[in-house]
Short mmCIF file of all heavy atoms in Angstrom, two decimals:
data_model
loop_
_atom_site.label_atom_id
_atom_site.label_comp_id
_atom_site.label_asym_id
_atom_site.label_seq_id
_atom_site.Cartn_x
_atom_site.Cartn_y
_atom_site.Cartn_z
N MET A 14 0.83 -1.19 0.00
CA MET A 14 0.00 0.00 0.00
C MET A 14 0.87 1.25 0.00
O MET A 14 1.96 1.24 0.57
CB MET A 14 -0.87 0.01 1.26
CG MET A 14 -2.29 -0.48 1.03
SD MET A 14 -3.21 -0.39 2.55
CE MET A 14 -3.22 -2.12 2.96
N GLN A 15 0.38 2.29 -0.63
CA GLN A 15 1.13 3.54 -0.64
C GLN A 15 0.36 4.60 0.13
O GLN A 15 -0.86 4.63 0.13
CB GLN A 15 1.37 4.02 -2.08
CG GLN A 15 2.41 3.18 -2.79
CD GLN A 15 2.98 3.92 -3.99
OE1 GLN A 15 2.30 4.67 -4.64
NE2 GLN A 15 4.25 3.70 -4.27
N HIS A 16 1.11 5.44 0.81
CA HIS A 16 0.48 6.50 1.58
C HIS A 16 1.37 7.73 1.53
O HIS A 16 2.59 7.62 1.53
CB HIS A 16 0.27 6.05 3.03
CG HIS A 16 -0.48 7.07 3.84
ND1 HIS A 16 -1.85 7.18 3.78
CD2 HIS A 16 -0.06 8.02 4.69
CE1 HIS A 16 -2.22 8.18 4.57
NE2 HIS A 16 -1.16 8.70 5.14
N THR A 17 0.74 8.90 1.47
CA THR A 17 1.51 10.13 1.50
C THR A 17 1.63 10.60 2.94
O THR A 17 0.63 10.75 3.64
CB THR A 17 0.81 11.22 0.65
OG1 THR A 17 0.59 10.72 -0.66
CG2 THR A 17 1.65 12.48 0.58
N CYS A 18 2.87 10.80 3.36
CA CYS A 18 3.12 11.23 4.73
C CYS A 18 2.40 12.55 5.00
O CYS A 18 2.51 13.49 4.23
CB CYS A 18 4.62 11.39 4.96
SG CYS A 18 5.02 12.01 6.59
N SER A 19 1.68 12.61 6.11
CA SER A 19 0.94 13.82 6.45
C SER A 19 1.86 14.97 6.83
O SER A 19 1.44 16.11 6.88
CB SER A 19 0.00 13.53 7.62
OG SER A 19 -0.81 12.42 7.33
N MET A 20 3.11 14.64 7.13
CA MET A 20 4.03 15.67 7.61
C MET A 20 4.92 16.21 6.49
O MET A 20 4.95 17.40 6.22
CB MET A 20 4.88 15.11 8.75
CG MET A 20 5.84 16.11 9.38
SD MET A 20 5.03 17.64 9.94
CE MET A 20 3.87 16.97 11.14
N CYS A 21 5.65 15.33 5.80
CA CYS A 21 6.62 15.79 4.81
C CYS A 21 6.17 15.55 3.38
O CYS A 21 6.79 16.04 2.45
CB CYS A 21 7.98 15.12 5.07
SG CYS A 21 7.98 13.36 4.72
N GLY A 22 5.09 14.84 3.19
CA GLY A 22 4.57 14.65 1.84
C GLY A 22 5.23 13.52 1.07
O GLY A 22 4.91 13.29 -0.09
N THR A 23 6.16 12.81 1.72
CA THR A 23 6.81 11.68 1.06
C THR A 23 5.80 10.56 0.83
O THR A 23 5.03 10.23 1.72
CB THR A 23 7.96 11.15 1.95
OG1 THR A 23 8.90 12.19 2.14
CG2 THR A 23 8.65 9.96 1.31
N VAL A 24 5.82 10.02 -0.38
CA VAL A 24 4.98 8.85 -0.66
C VAL A 24 5.78 7.62 -0.26
O VAL A 24 6.88 7.41 -0.75
CB VAL A 24 4.57 8.79 -2.14
CG1 VAL A 24 3.73 7.55 -2.41
CG2 VAL A 24 3.79 10.04 -2.53
N TYR A 25 5.24 6.88 0.65
CA TYR A 25 5.97 5.71 1.13
C TYR A 25 5.08 4.48 1.04
O TYR A 25 3.86 4.57 0.97
CB TYR A 25 6.47 5.93 2.57
CG TYR A 25 5.37 6.05 3.60
CD1 TYR A 25 5.01 4.96 4.40
CD2 TYR A 25 4.69 7.24 3.77
CE1 TYR A 25 4.01 5.07 5.34
CE2 TYR A 25 3.68 7.36 4.71
CZ TYR A 25 3.34 6.28 5.49
OH TYR A 25 2.34 6.38 6.42
N GLU A 26 5.74 3.36 1.05
CA GLU A 26 5.05 2.09 0.93
C GLU A 26 4.98 1.44 2.30
O GLU A 26 5.93 1.49 3.07
CB GLU A 26 5.81 1.19 -0.03
CG GLU A 26 5.07 -0.03 -0.45
CD GLU A 26 4.65 0.01 -1.93
OE1 GLU A 26 5.16 0.88 -2.67
OE2 GLU A 26 3.83 -0.79 -2.32
N PHE A 27 3.84 0.88 2.61
CA PHE A 27 3.78 0.14 3.85
C PHE A 27 2.94 -1.11 3.67
O PHE A 27 2.11 -1.18 2.77
CB PHE A 27 3.27 0.99 5.02
CG PHE A 27 1.81 1.35 4.91
CD1 PHE A 27 0.85 0.57 5.54
CD2 PHE A 27 1.40 2.47 4.21
CE1 PHE A 27 -0.50 0.91 5.46
CE2 PHE A 27 0.06 2.82 4.12
CZ PHE A 27 -0.90 2.03 4.75
N VAL A 28 3.21 -2.06 4.51
CA VAL A 28 2.51 -3.33 4.43
C VAL A 28 1.50 -3.38 5.56
O VAL A 28 1.83 -3.18 6.72
CB VAL A 28 3.50 -4.51 4.53
CG1 VAL A 28 2.75 -5.84 4.44
CG2 VAL A 28 4.56 -4.43 3.45
N TRP A 29 0.27 -3.58 5.17
CA TRP A 29 -0.76 -3.67 6.19
C TRP A 29 -1.86 -4.59 5.71
O TRP A 29 -2.27 -4.54 4.56
CB TRP A 29 -1.35 -2.29 6.50
CG TRP A 29 -2.44 -2.36 7.52
CD1 TRP A 29 -2.30 -2.57 8.85
CD2 TRP A 29 -3.85 -2.27 7.28
NE1 TRP A 29 -3.53 -2.60 9.46
CE2 TRP A 29 -4.50 -2.41 8.52
CE3 TRP A 29 -4.63 -2.07 6.14
CZ2 TRP A 29 -5.89 -2.36 8.66
CZ3 TRP A 29 -6.03 -2.03 6.27
CH2 TRP A 29 -6.64 -2.16 7.51
N GLU A 30 -2.29 -5.45 6.59
CA GLU A 30 -3.39 -6.34 6.25
C GLU A 30 -4.54 -6.09 7.22
O GLU A 30 -4.31 -5.79 8.39
CB GLU A 30 -2.95 -7.81 6.37
CG GLU A 30 -2.10 -8.26 5.19
CD GLU A 30 -1.56 -9.66 5.41
OE1 GLU A 30 -2.25 -10.49 6.01
OE2 GLU A 30 -0.41 -9.90 4.99
N ALA A 31 -5.74 -6.20 6.70
CA ALA A 31 -6.92 -6.00 7.53
C ALA A 31 -6.85 -6.89 8.76
O ALA A 31 -6.47 -8.06 8.67
CB ALA A 31 -8.19 -6.29 6.73
N GLY A 32 -7.19 -6.31 9.89
CA GLY A 32 -7.18 -7.09 11.12
C GLY A 32 -5.87 -7.01 11.88
O GLY A 32 -5.78 -7.48 13.01
N THR A 33 -4.85 -6.40 11.26
CA THR A 33 -3.59 -6.22 11.96
C THR A 33 -3.43 -4.74 12.32
O THR A 33 -4.05 -3.89 11.69
CB THR A 33 -2.39 -6.65 11.08
OG1 THR A 33 -2.33 -5.80 9.93
CG2 THR A 33 -2.52 -8.09 10.63
N PRO A 34 -2.63 -4.43 13.33
CA PRO A 34 -2.45 -3.03 13.69
C PRO A 34 -1.78 -2.25 12.57
O PRO A 34 -0.98 -2.81 11.82
CB PRO A 34 -1.54 -3.07 14.94
CG PRO A 34 -1.49 -4.49 15.37
CD PRO A 34 -1.83 -5.32 14.17
N LEU A 35 -2.11 -0.97 12.46
CA LEU A 35 -1.46 -0.12 11.46
C LEU A 35 0.00 0.06 11.83
O LEU A 35 0.38 -0.09 12.99
CB LEU A 35 -2.15 1.25 11.42
CG LEU A 35 -3.48 1.30 10.67
CD1 LEU A 35 -4.24 2.57 11.02
CD2 LEU A 35 -3.26 1.21 9.17
N PRO A 36 0.85 0.38 10.83
CA PRO A 36 2.26 0.65 11.14
C PRO A 36 2.35 1.70 12.25
O PRO A 36 1.55 2.63 12.30
CB PRO A 36 2.82 1.19 9.82
CG PRO A 36 1.92 0.66 8.76
CD PRO A 36 0.56 0.55 9.40
N LYS A 37 3.34 1.53 13.14
CA LYS A 37 3.35 2.37 14.34
C LYS A 37 3.53 3.85 14.06
O LYS A 37 3.14 4.68 14.86
CB LYS A 37 4.36 1.87 15.36
CG LYS A 37 5.82 2.00 14.93
CD LYS A 37 6.73 1.45 16.02
CE LYS A 37 8.16 1.34 15.54
NZ LYS A 37 9.09 2.23 16.13
N ASN A 38 4.11 4.17 12.89
CA ASN A 38 4.29 5.58 12.56
C ASN A 38 3.16 6.15 11.71
O ASN A 38 3.18 7.32 11.40
CB ASN A 38 5.62 5.78 11.84
CG ASN A 38 6.80 5.44 12.73
OD1 ASN A 38 6.79 5.73 13.91
ND2 ASN A 38 7.80 4.81 12.16
N PHE A 39 2.24 5.31 11.34
CA PHE A 39 1.12 5.75 10.51
C PHE A 39 0.40 6.92 11.17
O PHE A 39 0.19 6.90 12.37
CB PHE A 39 0.14 4.57 10.30
CG PHE A 39 -0.90 4.85 9.26
CD1 PHE A 39 -0.66 4.62 7.92
CD2 PHE A 39 -2.13 5.37 9.64
CE1 PHE A 39 -1.64 4.89 6.96
CE2 PHE A 39 -3.10 5.64 8.69
CZ PHE A 39 -2.85 5.41 7.35
N PRO A 40 -0.03 7.98 10.47
CA PRO A 40 0.04 8.17 9.02
C PRO A 40 1.31 8.88 8.55
O PRO A 40 1.29 9.53 7.52
CB PRO A 40 -1.19 9.03 8.76
CG PRO A 40 -1.28 9.91 9.96
CD PRO A 40 -0.74 9.08 11.12
N PHE A 41 2.39 8.72 9.28
CA PHE A 41 3.64 9.38 8.90
C PHE A 41 4.62 8.35 8.35
O PHE A 41 4.53 7.16 8.65
CB PHE A 41 4.23 10.12 10.10
CG PHE A 41 3.23 11.05 10.73
CD1 PHE A 41 2.64 10.74 11.94
CD2 PHE A 41 2.85 12.22 10.10
CE1 PHE A 41 1.68 11.57 12.50
CE2 PHE A 41 1.90 13.07 10.65
CZ PHE A 41 1.32 12.74 11.86
N CYS A 42 5.62 8.85 7.57
CA CYS A 42 6.55 7.94 6.90
C CYS A 42 7.58 7.40 7.89
O CYS A 42 8.17 6.36 7.66
CB CYS A 42 7.21 8.64 5.73
SG CYS A 42 8.34 9.97 6.20
N SER A 43 7.83 8.13 8.97
CA SER A 43 8.90 7.74 9.87
C SER A 43 8.61 8.23 11.29
O SER A 43 7.74 9.08 11.50
CB SER A 43 10.22 8.34 9.40
OG SER A 43 10.12 9.75 9.48
N ALA A 44 9.38 7.71 12.22
CA ALA A 44 9.24 8.15 13.61
C ALA A 44 9.55 9.64 13.72
O ALA A 44 9.00 10.34 14.56
CB ALA A 44 10.18 7.34 14.49
N ARG A 45 10.46 10.11 12.84
CA ARG A 45 10.84 11.53 12.87
C ARG A 45 9.63 12.42 12.58
O ARG A 45 9.37 13.39 13.29
CB ARG A 45 11.95 11.76 11.84
CG ARG A 45 12.48 13.17 11.80
CD ARG A 45 13.64 13.28 10.81
NE ARG A 45 13.77 14.65 10.35
CZ ARG A 45 13.11 15.16 9.32
NH1 ARG A 45 12.28 14.40 8.63
NH2 ARG A 45 13.27 16.42 8.98
N CYS A 46 8.91 12.08 11.51
CA CYS A 46 7.75 12.89 11.14
C CYS A 46 6.69 12.82 12.24
O CYS A 46 6.02 13.80 12.54
CB CYS A 46 7.18 12.43 9.81
SG CYS A 46 8.20 12.99 8.42
N LYS A 47 6.54 11.66 12.82
CA LYS A 47 5.58 11.50 13.89
C LYS A 47 5.96 12.39 15.08
O LYS A 47 5.12 13.04 15.69
CB LYS A 47 5.53 10.04 14.33
CG LYS A 47 4.34 9.74 15.22
CD LYS A 47 4.30 8.27 15.56
CE LYS A 47 3.03 7.96 16.34
NZ LYS A 47 2.91 6.54 16.63
N ALA A 48 7.27 12.42 15.36
CA ALA A 48 7.77 13.23 16.47
C ALA A 48 7.56 14.72 16.21
O ALA A 48 7.21 15.48 17.10
CB ALA A 48 9.24 12.94 16.70
N ILE A 49 7.76 15.12 14.93
CA ILE A 49 7.54 16.53 14.58
C ILE A 49 6.09 16.90 14.83
O ILE A 49 5.77 17.93 15.41
CB ILE A 49 7.93 16.79 13.10
CG1 ILE A 49 9.44 16.63 12.92
CG2 ILE A 49 7.49 18.19 12.67
CD1 ILE A 49 9.87 16.56 11.46
N ASP A 50 5.19 16.01 14.39
CA ASP A 50 3.77 16.27 14.57
C ASP A 50 3.42 16.36 16.04
O ASP A 50 2.69 17.25 16.48
CB ASP A 50 2.95 15.17 13.89
CG ASP A 50 1.47 15.49 13.92
OD1 ASP A 50 1.07 16.44 13.22
OD2 ASP A 50 0.73 14.82 14.64
N LEU A 51 3.96 15.44 16.81
CA LEU A 51 3.70 15.43 18.25
C LEU A 51 4.21 16.72 18.88
O LEU A 51 3.56 17.33 19.71
CB LEU A 51 4.38 14.21 18.88
CG LEU A 51 4.12 14.02 20.38
CD1 LEU A 51 2.67 13.68 20.64
CD2 LEU A 51 4.99 12.89 20.92
N GLY A 52 5.40 17.15 18.43
CA GLY A 52 5.99 18.39 18.93
C GLY A 52 5.11 19.59 18.64
O GLY A 52 4.97 20.49 19.46
N LYS A 53 4.49 19.57 17.45
CA LYS A 53 3.59 20.67 17.09
C LYS A 53 2.41 20.74 18.05
O LYS A 53 2.01 21.80 18.49
CB LYS A 53 3.08 20.49 15.66
CG LYS A 53 4.10 20.90 14.63
CD LYS A 53 3.42 21.08 13.28
CE LYS A 53 4.39 21.63 12.25
NZ LYS A 53 3.71 22.00 11.01
N TRP A 54 1.91 19.56 18.35
CA TRP A 54 0.78 19.52 19.29
C TRP A 54 1.22 20.03 20.65
O TRP A 54 0.52 20.81 21.28
CB TRP A 54 0.25 18.09 19.42
CG TRP A 54 -0.65 17.70 18.30
CD1 TRP A 54 -0.34 16.96 17.21
CD2 TRP A 54 -2.03 18.07 18.14
NE1 TRP A 54 -1.43 16.85 16.39
CE2 TRP A 54 -2.48 17.50 16.93
CE3 TRP A 54 -2.93 18.80 18.92
CZ2 TRP A 54 -3.79 17.66 16.47
CZ3 TRP A 54 -4.23 18.96 18.45
CH2 TRP A 54 -4.65 18.39 17.25
N LEU A 55 2.41 19.58 21.08
CA LEU A 55 2.89 19.98 22.40
C LEU A 55 3.15 21.49 22.45
O LEU A 55 3.00 22.11 23.49
CB LEU A 55 4.15 19.20 22.76
CG LEU A 55 3.94 17.70 22.96
CD1 LEU A 55 5.27 17.01 23.23
CD2 LEU A 55 2.96 17.41 24.09
N ASN A 56 3.55 22.05 21.31
CA ASN A 56 3.78 23.49 21.26
C ASN A 56 2.50 24.29 21.04
O ASN A 56 2.52 25.49 20.87
CB ASN A 56 4.78 23.82 20.14
CG ASN A 56 6.18 23.32 20.47
OD1 ASN A 56 6.56 23.26 21.62
ND2 ASN A 56 6.92 22.96 19.43
N GLU A 57 1.41 23.57 21.01
CA GLU A 57 0.09 24.18 20.87
C GLU A 57 -0.04 24.97 19.57
O GLU A 57 -0.76 25.95 19.50
CB GLU A 57 -0.24 25.05 22.09
CG GLU A 57 -0.40 24.18 23.33
CD GLU A 57 -0.79 25.00 24.56
OE1 GLU A 57 -1.13 26.18 24.39
OE2 GLU A 57 -0.75 24.45 25.65
N GLU A 58 0.70 24.52 18.54
CA GLU A 58 0.54 25.16 17.25
C GLU A 58 -0.86 24.96 16.71
O GLU A 58 -1.37 25.76 15.94
CB GLU A 58 1.55 24.58 16.24
CG GLU A 58 2.69 25.53 15.97
CD GLU A 58 3.63 24.96 14.92
OE1 GLU A 58 3.17 24.72 13.79
OE2 GLU A 58 4.81 24.77 15.24
N TYR A 59 -1.44 23.86 17.11
CA TYR A 59 -2.77 23.55 16.63
C TYR A 59 -3.84 23.94 17.66
O TYR A 59 -4.97 23.54 17.55
CB TYR A 59 -2.90 22.04 16.36
CG TYR A 59 -2.00 21.52 15.26
CD1 TYR A 59 -1.53 20.22 15.30
CD2 TYR A 59 -1.66 22.31 14.17
CE1 TYR A 59 -0.73 19.72 14.29
CE2 TYR A 59 -0.87 21.82 13.16
CZ TYR A 59 -0.39 20.52 13.22
OH TYR A 59 0.39 20.02 12.22
N ALA A 60 -3.43 24.69 18.67
CA ALA A 60 -4.36 25.01 19.74
C ALA A 60 -5.60 25.70 19.20
O ALA A 60 -5.53 26.54 18.31
CB ALA A 60 -3.68 25.89 20.77
N ILE A 61 -6.71 25.33 19.75
CA ILE A 61 -7.97 25.95 19.36
C ILE A 61 -8.06 27.32 20.03
O ILE A 61 -7.89 27.44 21.24
CB ILE A 61 -9.17 25.06 19.78
CG1 ILE A 61 -9.03 23.68 19.13
CG2 ILE A 61 -10.48 25.71 19.41
CD1 ILE A 61 -9.83 22.59 19.84
N SER A 62 -8.27 28.36 19.20
CA SER A 62 -8.25 29.72 19.73
C SER A 62 -9.57 30.12 20.39
O SER A 62 -9.60 31.01 21.23
CB SER A 62 -7.90 30.71 18.64
OG SER A 62 -8.79 30.56 17.55
N THR A 63 -10.63 29.44 20.01
CA THR A 63 -11.91 29.79 20.61
C THR A 63 -12.05 29.09 21.96
O THR A 63 -11.64 27.95 22.12
CB THR A 63 -13.08 29.37 19.70
OG1 THR A 63 -12.90 28.01 19.32
CG2 THR A 63 -13.14 30.24 18.46
N PRO A 64 -12.61 29.81 22.92
CA PRO A 64 -12.77 29.18 24.23
C PRO A 64 -13.76 28.04 24.18
O PRO A 64 -14.65 28.00 23.34
CB PRO A 64 -13.30 30.32 25.11
CG PRO A 64 -13.90 31.31 24.16
CD PRO A 64 -13.16 31.15 22.86
N LEU A 65 -13.57 27.12 25.06
CA LEU A 65 -14.48 25.99 25.12
C LEU A 65 -15.84 26.45 25.61
O LEU A 65 -15.94 27.40 26.38
CB LEU A 65 -13.93 24.93 26.09
CG LEU A 65 -12.70 24.17 25.60
CD1 LEU A 65 -12.09 23.38 26.75
CD2 LEU A 65 -13.05 23.23 24.46
N PRO A 66 -16.89 25.81 25.15
CA PRO A 66 -18.22 26.19 25.63
C PRO A 66 -18.36 25.93 27.12
O PRO A 66 -17.60 25.17 27.72
CB PRO A 66 -19.17 25.31 24.82
CG PRO A 66 -18.34 24.19 24.30
CD PRO A 66 -16.93 24.70 24.21
N VAL A 67 -19.33 26.62 27.69
CA VAL A 67 -19.60 26.45 29.11
C VAL A 67 -19.91 24.98 29.37
O VAL A 67 -20.63 24.35 28.60
CB VAL A 67 -20.82 27.32 29.51
CG1 VAL A 67 -21.09 27.24 31.01
CG2 VAL A 67 -20.62 28.76 29.06
N PRO A 68 -19.34 24.44 30.41
CA PRO A 68 -19.66 23.04 30.71
C PRO A 68 -21.16 22.85 30.90
O PRO A 68 -21.81 23.68 31.52
CB PRO A 68 -18.91 22.75 32.01
CG PRO A 68 -18.09 23.94 32.31
CD PRO A 68 -18.48 25.05 31.38
N ILE A 69 -21.65 21.79 30.35
CA ILE A 69 -23.09 21.54 30.43
C ILE A 69 -23.45 20.92 31.78
O ILE A 69 -22.98 19.85 32.13
CB ILE A 69 -23.56 20.65 29.27
CG1 ILE A 69 -23.39 21.40 27.95
CG2 ILE A 69 -25.01 20.22 29.46
CD1 ILE A 69 -23.75 20.60 26.71
N THR A 70 -24.24 21.66 32.51
CA THR A 70 -24.76 21.12 33.76
C THR A 70 -26.08 20.43 33.43
O THR A 70 -26.62 20.61 32.35
CB THR A 70 -25.03 22.25 34.77
OG1 THR A 70 -26.03 23.11 34.22
CG2 THR A 70 -23.78 23.05 35.05
N SER A 71 -26.59 19.67 34.32
CA SER A 71 -27.84 18.98 34.06
C SER A 71 -28.96 19.99 33.79
O SER A 71 -29.88 19.72 33.03
CB SER A 71 -28.20 18.07 35.23
OG SER A 71 -28.31 18.81 36.41
N GLU A 72 -28.84 21.18 34.39
CA GLU A 72 -29.87 22.20 34.21
C GLU A 72 -29.85 22.77 32.79
O GLU A 72 -30.89 22.85 32.14
CB GLU A 72 -29.67 23.33 35.23
CG GLU A 72 -30.96 24.01 35.64
CD GLU A 72 -30.72 24.92 36.82
OE1 GLU A 72 -30.66 24.41 37.97
OE2 GLU A 72 -30.58 26.13 36.59
N THR A 73 -28.64 23.16 32.32
CA THR A 73 -28.55 23.70 30.96
C THR A 73 -28.87 22.63 29.94
O THR A 73 -29.49 22.89 28.92
CB THR A 73 -27.16 24.30 30.68
OG1 THR A 73 -26.17 23.35 30.98
CG2 THR A 73 -26.92 25.56 31.48
N GLU A 74 -28.46 21.42 30.23
CA GLU A 74 -28.75 20.31 29.33
C GLU A 74 -30.27 20.15 29.20
O GLU A 74 -30.81 19.97 28.13
CB GLU A 74 -28.13 19.03 29.88
CG GLU A 74 -28.18 17.89 28.89
CD GLU A 74 -27.51 16.64 29.43
OE1 GLU A 74 -27.52 16.42 30.66
OE2 GLU A 74 -26.96 15.89 28.64
N HIS A 75 -30.95 20.26 30.32
CA HIS A 75 -32.40 20.16 30.36
C HIS A 75 -33.02 21.25 29.49
O HIS A 75 -33.92 21.00 28.69
CB HIS A 75 -32.88 20.28 31.81
CG HIS A 75 -34.34 20.03 31.99
ND1 HIS A 75 -35.28 21.00 31.69
CD2 HIS A 75 -35.02 18.94 32.42
CE1 HIS A 75 -36.49 20.49 31.94
NE2 HIS A 75 -36.35 19.25 32.38
N GLU A 76 -32.49 22.49 29.63
CA GLU A 76 -33.00 23.62 28.85
C GLU A 76 -32.80 23.39 27.35
O GLU A 76 -33.70 23.64 26.55
CB GLU A 76 -32.29 24.92 29.25
CG GLU A 76 -32.88 25.56 30.49
CD GLU A 76 -32.06 26.76 30.93
OE1 GLU A 76 -31.46 27.41 30.06
OE2 GLU A 76 -32.01 27.02 32.14
N ILE A 77 -31.61 22.93 26.99
CA ILE A 77 -31.29 22.69 25.57
C ILE A 77 -32.22 21.63 25.00
O ILE A 77 -32.82 21.80 23.95
CB ILE A 77 -29.81 22.27 25.41
CG1 ILE A 77 -28.90 23.47 25.73
CG2 ILE A 77 -29.54 21.78 23.98
CD1 ILE A 77 -27.45 23.07 26.00
N LEU A 78 -32.37 20.56 25.72
CA LEU A 78 -33.22 19.47 25.25
C LEU A 78 -34.67 19.93 25.13
O LEU A 78 -35.37 19.57 24.19
CB LEU A 78 -33.12 18.27 26.21
CG LEU A 78 -31.77 17.54 26.18
CD1 LEU A 78 -31.72 16.51 27.30
CD2 LEU A 78 -31.52 16.87 24.84
N THR A 79 -35.12 20.76 26.08
CA THR A 79 -36.48 21.28 26.03
C THR A 79 -36.67 22.15 24.80
O THR A 79 -37.67 22.07 24.09
CB THR A 79 -36.80 22.07 27.32
OG1 THR A 79 -36.55 21.23 28.44
CG2 THR A 79 -38.25 22.51 27.36
N GLU A 80 -35.64 23.01 24.53
CA GLU A 80 -35.70 23.87 23.34
C GLU A 80 -35.77 23.06 22.06
O GLU A 80 -36.38 23.47 21.09
CB GLU A 80 -34.47 24.79 23.30
CG GLU A 80 -34.69 26.11 24.01
CD GLU A 80 -33.45 26.98 23.96
OE1 GLU A 80 -32.82 27.03 22.90
OE2 GLU A 80 -33.12 27.59 25.00
N LEU A 81 -35.10 21.94 22.07
CA LEU A 81 -35.10 21.08 20.89
C LEU A 81 -36.38 20.26 20.78
O LEU A 81 -36.58 19.51 19.84
CB LEU A 81 -33.89 20.12 20.95
CG LEU A 81 -32.52 20.78 20.78
CD1 LEU A 81 -31.42 19.77 21.06
CD2 LEU A 81 -32.34 21.35 19.38
N GLY A 82 -37.26 20.44 21.77
CA GLY A 82 -38.54 19.74 21.71
C GLY A 82 -38.46 18.32 22.21
O GLY A 82 -39.34 17.51 21.95
N ILE A 83 -37.40 18.03 22.93
CA ILE A 83 -37.26 16.68 23.46
C ILE A 83 -37.80 16.67 24.89
O ILE A 83 -37.37 17.46 25.73
CB ILE A 83 -35.77 16.22 23.42
CG1 ILE A 83 -35.29 16.17 21.96
CG2 ILE A 83 -35.62 14.87 24.12
CD1 ILE A 83 -33.79 16.14 21.82
N ASN A 84 -38.73 15.80 25.12
CA ASN A 84 -39.33 15.71 26.45
C ASN A 84 -38.37 15.03 27.42
O ASN A 84 -38.02 13.87 27.25
CB ASN A 84 -40.66 14.95 26.38
CG ASN A 84 -41.35 14.90 27.73
OD1 ASN A 84 -41.08 15.73 28.60
ND2 ASN A 84 -42.22 13.93 27.89
N VAL A 85 -37.90 15.81 28.38
CA VAL A 85 -36.92 15.26 29.31
C VAL A 85 -37.52 14.98 30.68
O VAL A 85 -36.83 14.55 31.60
CB VAL A 85 -35.71 16.21 29.46
CG1 VAL A 85 -34.86 16.17 28.20
CG2 VAL A 85 -36.14 17.62 29.78
N ASP A 86 -38.83 15.29 30.82
CA ASP A 86 -39.46 15.03 32.11
C ASP A 86 -39.82 13.56 32.24
O ASP A 86 -40.29 12.94 31.29
CB ASP A 86 -40.71 15.90 32.28
CG ASP A 86 -40.34 17.38 32.32
OD1 ASP A 86 -39.36 17.70 32.99
OD2 ASP A 86 -41.05 18.17 31.67
N ASP A 87 -39.58 13.05 33.39
CA ASP A 87 -39.82 11.63 33.60
C ASP A 87 -41.20 11.38 34.25
O ASP A 87 -41.43 11.84 35.34
CB ASP A 87 -38.73 11.01 34.48
CG ASP A 87 -37.38 11.04 33.79
OD1 ASP A 87 -37.31 10.76 32.57
OD2 ASP A 87 -36.41 11.36 34.47
N GLY A 88 -42.00 10.67 33.53
CA GLY A 88 -43.25 10.20 34.11
C GLY A 88 -44.20 11.24 34.62
O GLY A 88 -44.93 11.01 35.58
N THR A 89 -44.19 12.45 34.04
CA THR A 89 -45.10 13.49 34.53
C THR A 89 -46.29 13.68 33.59
O THR A 89 -47.05 14.59 33.77
CB THR A 89 -44.35 14.83 34.69
OG1 THR A 89 -43.65 15.11 33.46
CG2 THR A 89 -43.38 14.79 35.83
N GLU A 90 -46.44 12.82 32.62
CA GLU A 90 -47.54 12.98 31.67
C GLU A 90 -48.83 12.39 32.22
O GLU A 90 -48.80 11.33 32.83
CB GLU A 90 -47.20 12.31 30.35
CG GLU A 90 -46.22 13.19 29.56
CD GLU A 90 -45.91 12.59 28.18
OE1 GLU A 90 -45.49 11.43 28.12
OE2 GLU A 90 -46.09 13.32 27.20
ZN1 LIG B 103 7.36 12.05 6.53
#
């Protein structure tokens, strides 16, 4: 099988059969490219700039579900 490295763009060949684990460096051509990618993550180059949404409490979840028209009340009909 051929795959283009997600990091350096090298087209490399790898052997993989269904039911077996993917090559340990997949989807990268080498441990080096994998390490570079990992380093990028660690350096937060890919960090999401938008703040995370407010954690959903059971109360807000209830409100959202109600707005969506989903009946969340138990046995009150
Ligand atoms: Zn590579």
